[in-house]
Amino acid sequence: ETGVTQTPRHLVMGMTNKKSLKCEQHLGHNAMYWYKQSAKKPLELMFVYNFKEQTENNSVPSRFSPECPNSSHLFLHLHTLQPEDSALYLCASSQEVRTGGFGANVLTFGAGSRLTVL
Amino acid sequence: AQKITQTQPGMFVQEKEAVTLDCTYDTSDPSYGLFWYKQPSSGEMIFLIYQGSYDQQNATEGRYSLNFQKARKSANLVISASQLGDSAMYFCAMREVWSNTGKLIFGQGTTLQVKP
């Protein structure tokens, strides 16, 4: 496996279900990101992890719960979602420095997990 | 606050011709990076080209070039010799270098269709 891998690629869930999205990067990067892409809206940054520490939570509802156990893995735990949460969820990673600014490093994206909430 | 604006929801171009996709941005940070990504129907975001705010020359990568006009705060993508495979959604994005969160923000995107 190379690059950034997201599973599952497609997920259909009811509003009372609990599911998780998984992201794994094989690039040796130390920062990971979750983005949400809804129809006709710009990509919205949800969470940023740098060296396993969360550095950004963009006012995301608590029904979305991220987990970053190590620099290679990122999860998005989902529970009691709403139909408006249906979207493409994109994971990305980049190589960053621990301190002194993030630099202008390229984010490498996975193919996304398309979520449908019924 | 950071902001990226792409004013062209959709564009058409004839195969083998050049096309320019517009992007304007706003930031108070003197150090920033500008990116263009391509998103085909498969969904994956593919990095195309990068321009740093202090770069003296416009970035080029194969058929892609970035027309960077700092004073106007614009970073337009030029695709030369369009191919059918260029049909996709294109996103302009910006990242402030000294942000403490690493936030990369995106514009609304432009859908490009290449006609045979």
Side-chain angles (χ1 to χ4, degrees):
Chain A
E1 291 276 10
T2 58
V4 180
T5 305
Q6 290 188 242
T7 54
R9 292 293 312 276
H10 300 272
L11 178 63
V12 179
M13 59 187 290
M15 290 191 284
T16 58
N17 292 157
K18 288 185 180 181
K19 298 285 184 183
S20 295
L21 305 181
K22 178 183 176 183
C23 177
E24 183 173 3
Q25 58 94 1
H26 307 270
L27 301 167
H29 291 167
N30 46 43
M32 297 189 77
Y33 311 77
W34 279 117
Y35 280 85
K36 175 184 178 182
Q37 186 177 23
S38 305
K40 299 181 181 179
K41 291 178 74 175
L43 275 80
E44 301 171 65
L45 178 65
M46 300 176 72
F47 302 103
V48 180
Y49 280 83
N50 193 30
F51 289 90
K52 299 190 295 179
E53 293 184 12
Q54 188 179 114
T55 57
E56 178 78 15
N57 177 338
N58 198 23
S59 303
V60 180
S62 59
R63 57 185 184 270
F64 295 93
S65 175
E67 179 189 2
C68 188
N70 54 61
S71 293
S72 299
H73 293 85
L74 184 65
F75 296 89
L76 188 62
H77 303 300
L78 316 169
H79 61 98
T80 59
L81 294 191
Q82 305 298 312
E84 60 265 28
D85 296 323
S86 298
L88 181 67
Y89 289 85
L90 290 160
C91 174
S93 70
S94 66
Q95 183 65 25
E96 305 294 343
V97 296
R98 188 182 288 274
T99 59
F102 271 79
N105 300 311
V106 175
L107 270 64
T108 301
F109 284 81
S113 293
R114 183 155 307 273
L115 172 67
T116 302
V117 181
L118 301 176
Chain B
Q2 298 173 268
K3 187 177 181 182
I4 292 278
T5 303
Q6 293 178 254
T7 57
Q8 305 156 312
M11 292 279 287
F12 289 92
V13 65
Q14 205 65 37
E15 192 178 9
K16 300 181 184 177
E17 292 186 351
V19 63
T20 298
L21 307 183
D22 294 342
C23 172
T24 58
Y25 61 91
D26 192 20
T27 179
S28 56
D29 193 327
S31 300
Y32 51 89
L34 296 157
F35 304 78
W36 277 91
Y37 282 85
K38 171 185 178 181
Q39 187 180 39
S41 56
S42 59
E44 185 174 358
M45 298 284 283
I46 302 167
F47 167 72
L48 296 177
I49 195 167
Y50 163 78
Q51 178 87 41
S53 58
Y54 293 118
D55 293 344
Q56 295 295 314
Q57 295 193 337
N58 287 343
T60 60
E61 288 286 350
R63 295 186 298 111
Y64 305 108
S65 61
L66 203 151
N67 183 1
F68 181 44
Q69 298 188 42
K70 195 170 182 177
R72 293 186 175 184
K73 293 190 174 179
S74 74
N76 298 339
L77 177 70
V78 179
I79 305 175
S80 63
S82 298
Q83 301 172 358
L84 296 177
D86 293 335
S87 294
M89 192 101 172
Y90 288 81
F91 291 93
C92 180
M94 178 175 67
R95 195 177 197 195
E96 293 169 341
V97 172
W98 293 103
S99 161
N100 62 353
T101 66
K103 188 182 296 187
L104 177 70
I105 65 161
F106 287 81
Q108 304 93 318
T110 296
T111 301
L112 176 67
Q113 292 192 43
V114 180
K115 293 182 173 180

